[in-house]
Amino acid sequence: MAFVTDPYTGLKFLELSHPWGHGAPSYPGQDDVQMHRAVKHAQHGVLAWRIRTVMHTGTHMNAPLHMIQRGMDMAEIPADRFFGNGVVLDVPKGPFETVTARDLEAAASRLKEGDIVVIVTGWHRRYSDSQEYFGHSPGLSRDAAEWLVARKAKLVAVDTPQVDHPLATSLGPHRGGPLMKRLEEEYRKATGLDPRKEHGEWNIAHRTLLAAGIPTIEQVGGDVDLLLGKRATFVAAPWKLSKGDACPVRFIAILDPSGSVRIPDGKP
């Protein structure tokens, strides 16, 4: 897929979401997306799907309520959080690495206060139903999350399965884990480090962002590589879900070929 150009404004639209549906990669310990046709063309002359899903599947948005008791739910997040100018930060990372505040600072020459911030490690290229994708991914450190809060990020999106390093989640030794039982030993062999020492706080980066009222998007994908290091206008379209902690989201970037980032007023 490439840019889609609006013939009236000349603005270019780019997909930043993975396809969602039956067979979408799902977190270890969570059910798969289940879809069946409630009615179908051959029998009824119309198609309608019945779906059962965990909301944290594929490209999805998290509300503060996800990890912060009495935090905003999906329906309570102000609509302006879903739309605005921002930047794609190119922060290449390999298996088990950590995105730090220093990494963000080095990549953020074009970042402005109040931006939507999209952090791309390259892990979206490994999107799959695999132990590698979910268990070996990089993740944000506490100081990276604090750096984003200090810059008043409007929304933070990552191309990894989760905001935090997997060993700071229940995939590792935290809160009912490990859900991936070989993960700690694989980390030790790959890095020579103690996972419980290096990642001893549970979901600390994600909790830091959500506690500051910053929604997050995980599993960014699509054609995000075309935007590395660039500014754009971003649009996220989540559900207005009462009591919802998360939901699948369509995430889109808009670029102005003139080099500025503007939205026309709609007048002829």
Side-chain angles (χ1 to χ4, degrees), residues 193-258:
L193 300 172
D194 180 351
R196 297 179 184 241
K197 179 179 178 181
E198 300 297 322
H199 302 287
E201 296 182 282
W202 175 74
N203 275 303
I204 186 59
H206 209 179
R207 286 191 290 120
T208 299
L209 293 169
L210 295 178
I214 301 172
T216 59
I217 297 177
E218 294 169 317
Q219 302 181 35
V220 168
D223 294 305
V224 71
D225 281 334
L226 299 179
L227 292 183
L228 296 179
K230 294 182 171 62
R231 291 190 61 79
T233 300
F234 297 94
V235 182
W239 306 355
K240 190 172 184 178
L241 180 60
S242 178
K243 309 303 179 187
D245 65 305
C247 71
V249 67
R250 191 77 180 265
F251 194 36
I252 303 293
I254 308 173
L255 278 80
D256 184 343
S258 72

Side-chain angles (χ1 to χ4, degrees), residues 16 59-63 74 77-87 89 111-119 148-149 151-158 163 209-210 212-218 220 234-238 249-252:
L16 303 181
T59 308
H60 64 279
M61 180 179 287
N62 302 288
M74 291 301 307
I77 300 173
D80 65 344
R81 290 275 183 171
F82 309 143
F83 177 86
N85 295 334
V87 65
L89 303 185
L111 182 141
K112 299 178 181 180
E113 187 175 283
D115 269 350
I116 291 174
V117 182
V118 183
I119 300 166
L148 291 161
V149 171
R151 281 147 188 81
K152 300 180 181 177
K154 177 183 283 192
L155 182 152
V156 172
V158 297
V163 167
L209 293 169
L210 295 178
I214 301 172
T216 59
I217 297 177
E218 294 169 317
V220 168
F234 297 94
V235 182
V249 67
R250 191 77 180 265
F251 194 36
I252 303 293

Side-chain angles (χ1 to χ4, degrees), residues 2-255:
F3 291 99
V4 176
T5 302
D6 176 66
Y8 175 68
T9 63
L11 296 174
K12 293 180 177 292
F13 295 78
L14 191 71
E15 179 68 64
L16 303 181
S17 310
H18 290 294
W20 187 93
H22 180 78
S26 59
Y27 286 114
Q30 295 186 349
D31 291 339
D32 281 334
V33 176
Q34 299 176 35
M35 300 178 62
H36 73 272
R37 292 174 294 175
V39 295
K40 49 193 175 181
H41 284 297
Q43 185 174 351
H44 307 99
V46 64
L47 175 64
W49 287 99
R50 183 172 294 162
I51 299 171
R52 181 175 181 177
T53 185
V54 174
M55 291 298 188
H56 300 264
T57 306
T59 308
H60 64 279
M61 180 179 287
N62 302 288
L65 182 63
H66 176 43
M67 291 191 174
I68 306 302
Q69 190 172 357
R70 293 185 291 277
M72 289 185 295
D73 65 20
M74 291 301 307
E76 293 171 326
I77 300 173
D80 65 344
R81 290 275 183 171
F82 309 143
F83 177 86
N85 295 334
V87 65
V88 177
L89 303 185
D90 185 14
V91 188
K93 290 290 176 180
F96 292 128
E97 292 185 338
T98 304
V99 177
T100 66
R102 181 177 293 183
D103 294 324
L104 297 180
E105 187 72 45
S109 62
R110 304 192 68 186
L111 182 141
K112 299 178 181 180
E113 187 175 283
D115 269 350
I116 291 174
V117 182
V118 183
I119 300 166
V120 177
T121 66
W123 209 253
H124 63 285
R125 302 179 200 120
R126 308 189 192 209
Y127 181 69
S128 60
D129 175 26
S130 66
Q131 292 187 350
E132 177 191 32
Y133 176 70
F134 286 102
H136 297 184
S137 65
L140 272 61
S141 65
R142 174 202 275 269
D143 73 342
E146 292 172 342
W147 187 93
L148 291 161
V149 171
R151 281 147 188 81
K152 300 180 181 177
K154 177 183 283 192
L155 182 152
V156 172
V158 297
D159 73 336
T160 49
Q162 54 273 323
V163 167
D164 280 87
H165 192 283
L167 281 159
T169 74
S170 58
L171 298 181
H174 294 275
R175 299 239 179 159
L179 294 175
M180 301 181 76
K181 298 187 186 303
R182 292 181 289 179
L183 194 56
E184 290 186 77
E185 186 57 30
E186 289 174 352
Y187 178 83
R188 287 190 184 93
K189 287 181 178 179
T191 68
L193 300 172
D194 180 351
R196 297 179 184 241
K197 179 179 178 181
E198 300 297 322
H199 302 287
E201 296 182 282
W202 175 74
N203 275 303
I204 186 59
H206 209 179
R207 286 191 290 120
T208 299
L209 293 169
L210 295 178
I214 301 172
T216 59
I217 297 177
E218 294 169 317
Q219 302 181 35
V220 168
D223 294 305
V224 71
D225 281 334
L226 299 179
L227 292 183
L228 296 179
K230 294 182 171 62
R231 291 190 61 79
T233 300
F234 297 94
V235 182
W239 306 355
K240 190 172 184 178
L241 180 60
S242 178
K243 309 303 179 187
D245 65 305
C247 71
V249 67
R250 191 77 180 265
F251 194 36
I252 303 293
I254 308 173
L255 278 80

